[in-house]
CSV table of all heavy atoms in Angstrom, one decimal:
chain,number,residue,atom,x,y,z
A,123,CYS,N,144.6,46.6,66.3
A,123,CYS,CA,145.0,45.7,67.4
A,123,CYS,C,145.4,44.3,66.9
A,123,CYS,O,146.5,43.8,67.3
A,123,CYS,CB,143.9,45.5,68.3
A,123,CYS,SG,143.6,47.1,69.3
A,357,GLU,N,198.0,77.5,88.8
A,357,GLU,CA,197.2,77.6,87.7
A,357,GLU,C,196.1,78.7,87.8
A,357,GLU,O,195.9,79.6,86.9
A,357,GLU,CB,196.3,76.3,87.6
A,357,GLU,CG,197.0,75.2,86.9
A,357,GLU,CD,197.1,75.4,85.4
A,357,GLU,OE1,196.1,75.8,84.7
A,357,GLU,OE2,198.2,75.3,84.8
A,406,VAL,N,189.6,92.8,89.1
A,406,VAL,CA,190.4,91.8,89.9
A,406,VAL,C,190.4,92.2,91.4
A,406,VAL,O,190.2,91.4,92.2
A,406,VAL,CB,191.8,91.6,89.3
A,406,VAL,CG1,192.7,90.7,90.2
A,406,VAL,CG2,191.8,91.2,87.9
A,455,TYR,N,186.3,95.4,111.7
A,455,TYR,CA,187.6,95.7,112.3
A,455,TYR,C,187.8,97.2,112.5
A,455,TYR,O,188.9,97.7,112.4
A,455,TYR,CB,188.7,95.1,111.4
A,455,TYR,CG,188.5,93.6,111.2
A,455,TYR,CD1,188.0,93.2,110.0
A,455,TYR,CD2,188.8,92.7,112.3
A,455,TYR,CE1,187.8,91.7,109.9
A,455,TYR,CE2,188.6,91.4,112.1
A,455,TYR,CZ,188.1,90.9,110.9
A,455,TYR,OH,187.9,89.5,110.7
A,482,LEU,N,172.3,98.2,103.5
A,482,LEU,CA,172.2,97.3,104.6
A,482,LEU,C,173.5,97.1,105.4
A,482,LEU,O,173.6,97.2,106.5
A,482,LEU,CB,171.6,96.0,104.3
A,482,LEU,CG,170.0,96.0,103.9
A,482,LEU,CD1,169.7,94.7,103.1
A,482,LEU,CD2,169.2,96.2,105.1
A,498,GLU,N,182.8,109.0,119.7
A,498,GLU,CA,183.3,109.7,118.4
A,498,GLU,C,182.2,109.7,117.3
A,498,GLU,O,182.3,110.4,116.4
A,498,GLU,CB,184.6,109.1,117.9
A,498,GLU,CG,185.7,109.1,118.9
A,498,GLU,CD,186.8,108.1,118.6
A,498,GLU,OE1,187.1,107.9,117.4
A,498,GLU,OE2,187.4,107.5,119.5
A,511,THR,N,165.6,105.0,108.3
A,511,THR,CA,164.2,104.9,108.7
A,511,THR,C,163.3,105.9,108.2
A,511,THR,O,162.1,105.7,107.9
A,511,THR,CB,164.2,105.0,110.3
A,511,THR,OG1,164.8,106.2,110.6
A,511,THR,CG2,164.9,103.8,110.9
A,522,ARG,N,165.4,97.1,109.6
A,522,ARG,CA,166.7,96.9,110.2
A,522,ARG,C,167.1,98.2,111.0
A,522,ARG,O,167.6,98.1,112.1
A,522,ARG,CB,167.8,96.5,109.3
A,522,ARG,CG,169.0,96.0,110.0
A,522,ARG,CD,170.2,95.7,109.1
A,522,ARG,NE,170.0,94.5,108.3
A,522,ARG,CZ,170.9,93.9,107.6
A,522,ARG,NH1,172.2,94.4,107.5
A,522,ARG,NH2,170.7,92.8,107.0
A,571,ALA,N,168.6,66.3,83.3
A,571,ALA,CA,168.5,66.8,84.8
A,571,ALA,C,170.0,66.9,85.3
A,571,ALA,O,170.3,67.8,86.1
A,571,ALA,CB,167.8,65.7,85.6
A,627,ASP,N,142.5,87.9,99.5
A,627,ASP,CA,141.6,88.1,100.5
A,627,ASP,C,141.8,89.4,101.2
A,627,ASP,O,142.9,89.9,101.4
A,627,ASP,CB,141.7,86.9,101.4
A,627,ASP,CG,140.4,86.9,102.3
A,627,ASP,OD1,140.2,87.7,103.3
A,627,ASP,OD2,139.6,86.0,102.1
A,640,PRO,N,139.1,77.1,123.1
A,640,PRO,CA,139.5,76.8,124.4
A,640,PRO,C,138.4,76.3,125.3
A,640,PRO,O,137.3,76.4,124.9
A,640,PRO,CB,140.1,78.1,124.9
A,640,PRO,CG,140.1,79.1,123.8
A,640,PRO,CD,139.0,78.6,122.8
A,657,MET,N,149.3,79.0,119.6
A,657,MET,CA,150.2,80.1,119.4
A,657,MET,C,149.3,81.2,118.6
A,657,MET,O,148.6,80.7,117.7
A,657,MET,CB,151.4,79.9,118.8
A,657,MET,CG,151.3,79.1,117.5
A,657,MET,SD,153.0,78.5,116.9
A,657,MET,CE,153.8,80.0,116.6
A,689,LEU,N,160.0,107.0,123.0
A,689,LEU,CA,160.8,106.5,122.0
A,689,LEU,C,160.5,105.0,121.8
A,689,LEU,O,161.1,104.2,122.4
A,689,LEU,CB,162.2,106.6,122.1
A,689,LEU,CG,162.7,108.1,121.9
A,689,LEU,CD1,164.3,108.1,122.3
A,689,LEU,CD2,162.6,108.5,120.5
A,693,HIS,N,153.4,98.0,120.4
A,693,HIS,CA,153.8,96.8,121.1
A,693,HIS,C,152.5,96.0,121.4
A,693,HIS,O,151.4,96.5,121.2
A,693,HIS,CB,154.6,97.0,122.3
A,693,HIS,CG,153.9,98.1,123.2
A,693,HIS,ND1,152.9,97.8,124.1
A,693,HIS,CD2,154.1,99.5,123.2
A,693,HIS,CE1,152.5,98.9,124.6
A,693,HIS,NE2,153.2,100.0,124.2
A,768,LYS,N,122.4,96.4,115.2
A,768,LYS,CA,123.2,95.4,114.5
A,768,LYS,C,123.2,95.5,113.0
A,768,LYS,O,122.2,95.8,112.4
A,768,LYS,CB,122.8,94.0,114.9
A,768,LYS,CG,123.2,93.6,116.3
A,768,LYS,CD,122.7,92.2,116.7
A,768,LYS,CE,123.1,91.9,118.1
A,768,LYS,NZ,122.6,90.6,118.6
A,919,ASP,N,120.9,120.9,127.3
A,919,ASP,CA,120.8,119.9,128.4
A,919,ASP,C,120.5,118.5,128.0
A,919,ASP,O,121.2,117.5,128.5
A,919,ASP,CB,119.7,120.4,129.4
A,919,ASP,CG,120.1,121.7,130.1
A,919,ASP,OD1,121.3,122.0,130.1
A,919,ASP,OD2,119.2,122.5,130.4
Side-chain angles (χ1 to χ4, degrees):
C123 292
E357 275 291 309
V406 175
Y455 301 102
L482 288 166
E498 305 160 34
T511 55
R522 191 183 289 192
D627 195 287
M657 56 194 290
L689 286 173
H693 52 81
K768 284 182 180 173
D919 291 333

